[in-house]
Coordinates of all heavy atoms in Angstrom, one line a residue:
L966 N 105.0 105.2 105.9 CA 103.8 105.2 105.2 C 102.7 105.8 106.0 O 101.9 106.7 105.6 CB 103.4 103.8 104.8 CG 102.1 103.6 104.0 CD1 102.1 104.3 102.7 CD2 101.8 102.1 103.8
A967 N 102.6 105.4 107.3 CA 101.5 105.9 108.2 C 101.7 107.4 108.4 O 100.7 108.2 108.4 CB 101.5 105.2 109.5
R968 N 102.9 107.9 108.5 CA 103.2 109.3 108.6 C 102.7 110.1 107.4 O 102.1 111.2 107.4 CB 104.6 109.6 108.9 CG 105.0 109.3 110.3 CD 106.5 109.4 110.5 NE 106.9 109.3 111.9 CZ 108.1 109.2 112.4 NH1 109.2 109.2 111.5 NH2 108.4 109.2 113.7
A969 N 102.9 109.5 106.2 CA 102.5 110.1 104.9 C 101.0 110.1 104.8 O 100.4 111.1 104.4 CB 103.1 109.4 103.7
V970 N 100.3 109.0 105.3 CA 98.9 109.0 105.3 C 98.3 110.1 106.2 O 97.4 110.8 105.9 CB 98.4 107.6 105.7 CG1 96.9 107.6 106.1 CG2 98.7 106.6 104.7
R971 N 99.0 110.2 107.4 CA 98.5 111.3 108.3 C 98.6 112.7 107.7 O 97.7 113.5 107.7 CB 99.4 111.3 109.6 CG 99.0 112.4 110.6 CD 99.9 112.3 111.8 NE 101.3 112.4 111.6 CZ 102.3 112.3 112.5 NH1 101.9 112.1 113.8 NH2 103.5 112.5 112.2
K972 N 99.7 112.9 107.0 CA 100.0 114.2 106.4 C 99.0 114.5 105.2 O 98.5 115.6 105.0 CB 101.4 114.3 106.0 CG 101.9 115.7 105.5 CD 103.5 115.6 105.4 CE 104.0 116.8 104.6 NZ 105.4 116.6 104.3
A973 N 98.8 113.4 104.4 CA 98.1 113.6 103.2 C 96.6 113.7 103.4 O 95.9 114.5 102.8 CB 98.4 112.4 102.2
L974 N 96.1 112.8 104.3 CA 94.6 112.7 104.4 C 94.1 113.2 105.7 O 92.8 113.3 105.9 CB 94.3 111.2 104.3 CG 94.8 110.5 103.0 CD1 94.4 109.0 103.0 CD2 94.3 111.2 101.8
V975 N 94.9 113.6 106.7 CA 94.5 114.1 108.0 C 93.4 113.3 108.6 O 92.3 113.9 108.9 CB 94.1 115.6 107.8 CG1 94.2 116.3 109.2 CG2 95.0 116.3 106.8
P976 N 93.6 112.1 108.9 CA 92.6 111.3 109.6 C 92.6 111.6 111.1 O 93.6 112.2 111.6 CB 93.0 109.8 109.3 CG 94.5 109.9 109.2 CD 94.8 111.3 108.5
D977 N 91.6 111.1 111.8 CA 91.5 111.3 113.2 C 92.3 110.2 113.9 O 92.7 110.3 115.1 CB 90.1 111.3 113.7 CG 89.3 112.4 113.1 OD1 89.8 113.6 113.1 OD2 88.2 112.2 112.6
G978 N 92.5 109.0 113.2 CA 93.2 107.9 113.8 C 93.7 107.0 112.6 O 93.3 107.2 111.5
I979 N 94.6 106.1 112.9 CA 95.1 105.2 111.9 C 95.3 103.8 112.5 O 96.0 103.7 113.6 CB 96.5 105.6 111.3 CG1 96.4 107.0 110.7 CG2 97.0 104.6 110.3 CD1 97.8 107.5 110.2
V980 N 94.6 102.8 111.9 CA 94.8 101.4 112.4 C 96.0 100.9 111.6 O 96.0 101.0 110.4 CB 93.5 100.6 112.1 CG1 93.8 99.1 112.4 CG2 92.3 101.2 112.8
V981 N 96.9 100.3 112.4 CA 98.0 99.5 111.7 C 97.9 98.1 112.2 O 97.9 97.8 113.4 CB 99.4 100.1 112.1 CG1 100.5 99.2 111.6 CG2 99.6 101.5 111.6
T982 N 97.6 97.2 111.3 CA 97.3 95.8 111.7 C 97.7 94.8 110.7 O 98.0 95.1 109.6 CB 95.8 95.7 112.0 OG1 95.5 94.5 112.7 CG2 95.0 95.7 110.7
Q983 N 97.7 93.5 111.2 CA 98.0 92.4 110.2 C 97.4 91.1 110.9 O 97.2 91.1 112.1 CB 99.5 92.3 109.9 CG 100.4 92.0 111.0 CD 100.6 90.6 111.4 OE1 100.7 90.2 112.6 NE2 100.6 89.7 110.4
F984 N 97.1 90.2 110.0 CA 96.4 88.9 110.5 C 97.3 87.7 110.2 O 98.0 87.7 109.2 CB 95.0 88.8 109.8 CG 94.1 90.0 109.9 CD1 93.9 90.8 108.9 CD2 93.6 90.3 111.2 CE1 93.1 91.9 109.0 CE2 92.8 91.4 111.3 CZ 92.5 92.2 110.2
N985 N 97.2 86.7 111.0 CA 98.0 85.5 110.9 C 97.1 84.3 110.9 O 96.6 83.9 111.9 CB 99.0 85.5 112.0 CG 99.9 86.7 112.1 OD1 100.8 86.9 111.3 ND2 99.6 87.6 113.0
G986 N 97.0 83.7 109.7 CA 96.1 82.5 109.5 C 94.7 82.9 109.2 O 94.2 83.9 109.7
A987 N 94.1 82.0 108.4 CA 92.7 82.3 108.0 C 91.7 82.5 109.2 O 90.9 83.4 109.1 CB 92.2 81.1 107.1
P988 N 91.8 81.7 110.3 CA 90.9 81.9 111.4 C 91.0 83.3 112.0 O 90.1 83.8 112.7 CB 91.2 80.8 112.3 CG 91.9 79.7 111.5 CD 92.6 80.5 110.5
A989 N 92.2 83.9 111.8 CA 92.4 85.2 112.4 C 92.0 86.3 111.4 O 92.1 87.5 111.7 CB 93.9 85.4 112.7
G990 N 91.6 86.0 110.2 CA 91.1 86.9 109.2 C 92.0 87.1 108.0 O 91.7 87.9 107.1
Q991 N 93.1 86.4 108.0 CA 94.0 86.5 106.8 C 93.4 85.9 105.6 O 92.9 84.7 105.6 CB 95.4 85.9 107.2 CG 96.4 86.1 106.1 CD 97.8 85.7 106.5 OE1 98.0 85.0 107.5 NE2 98.8 86.1 105.8
T992 N 93.5 86.6 104.5 CA 93.0 86.1 103.2 C 94.1 85.9 102.1 O 93.9 85.2 101.2 CB 91.8 86.9 102.7 OG1 92.3 88.3 102.5 CG2 90.7 86.9 103.6
V993 N 95.2 86.7 102.3 CA 96.3 86.6 101.4 C 97.5 86.2 102.2 O 97.9 86.9 103.1 CB 96.6 87.9 100.6 CG1 97.7 87.8 99.7 CG2 95.3 88.4 99.9
F994 N 98.2 85.1 101.7 CA 99.2 84.5 102.6 C 100.6 84.9 102.2 O 101.5 84.0 101.9 CB 99.0 83.0 102.6 CG 97.6 82.7 103.3 CD1 96.5 82.5 102.4 CD2 97.4 82.8 104.6 CE1 95.2 82.4 103.0 CE2 96.2 82.6 105.2 CZ 95.1 82.4 104.4
H995 N 100.8 86.2 102.0 CA 102.1 86.8 101.9 C 102.1 87.9 103.0 O 101.2 88.8 102.9 CB 102.3 87.4 100.5 CG 103.6 88.1 100.3 ND1 104.6 87.7 99.5 CD2 104.1 89.3 100.8 CE1 105.6 88.5 99.5 NE2 105.3 89.5 100.3
L996 N 103.0 87.9 104.0 CA 102.9 88.9 105.1 C 102.6 90.3 104.6 O 103.3 90.7 103.7 CB 104.2 88.8 105.9 CG 104.3 89.9 106.9 CD1 103.3 89.8 108.0 CD2 105.7 89.9 107.5
H997 N 101.6 90.9 105.1 CA 101.3 92.3 104.8 C 100.8 93.1 106.0 O 100.2 92.5 106.9 CB 100.3 92.4 103.6 CG 99.1 91.6 103.9 ND1 99.0 90.2 103.7 CD2 97.9 92.0 104.3 CE1 97.8 89.8 104.0 NE2 97.1 90.9 104.4
I998 N 101.1 94.3 106.0 CA 100.6 95.2 107.1 C 99.6 96.2 106.5 O 99.9 96.9 105.5 CB 101.8 96.0 107.7 CG1 103.1 95.2 107.8 CG2 101.4 96.7 109.1 CD1 103.1 94.2 108.9
H999 N 98.5 96.3 107.2 CA 97.4 97.2 106.8 C 97.7 98.6 107.4 O 98.0 98.6 108.6 CB 96.0 96.7 107.2 CG 95.6 95.5 106.6 ND1 94.7 95.4 105.6 CD2 95.8 94.2 106.9 CE1 94.4 94.2 105.3 NE2 95.1 93.4 106.1
V1000 N 97.5 99.6 106.7 CA 97.5 101.0 107.2 C 96.1 101.6 106.8 O 95.8 101.7 105.7 CB 98.6 101.9 106.7 CG1 98.5 103.3 107.1 CG2 100.0 101.3 107.1
I1001 N 95.2 101.8 107.9 CA 93.8 102.1 107.6 C 93.5 103.4 108.3 O 93.3 103.4 109.6 CB 92.9 101.0 108.1 CG1 93.3 99.6 107.5 CG2 91.4 101.3 107.7 CD1 92.5 98.4 108.1
P1002 N 93.4 104.5 107.6 CA 93.0 105.8 108.2 C 91.5 105.7 108.7 O 90.7 105.1 108.1 CB 93.1 106.8 107.1 CG 93.4 106.1 105.9 CD 93.6 104.7 106.1
R1003 N 91.3 106.4 109.9 CA 89.9 106.4 110.4 C 89.5 107.8 110.7 O 90.4 108.7 111.1 CB 89.9 105.6 111.8 CG 90.2 104.2 111.7 CD 89.2 103.3 110.9 NE 87.8 103.6 111.3 CZ 87.1 102.9 112.2 NH1 87.7 101.9 112.9 NH2 85.9 103.2 112.5

Side-chain angles (χ1 to χ4, degrees):
L966 178 62
R968 285 176 170 168
V970 166
R971 176 178 62 182
K972 191 170 166 188
L974 305 179
V975 198
D977 299 313
I979 301 178
V980 176
V981 174
T982 193
Q983 61 84 222
F984 305 110
N985 302 285
Q991 187 173 11
T992 58
V993 179
F994 299 94
H995 177 111
L996 173 63
H997 54 281
I998 320 287
H999 296 260
V1000 174
I1001 309 174
R1003 299 293 311 267

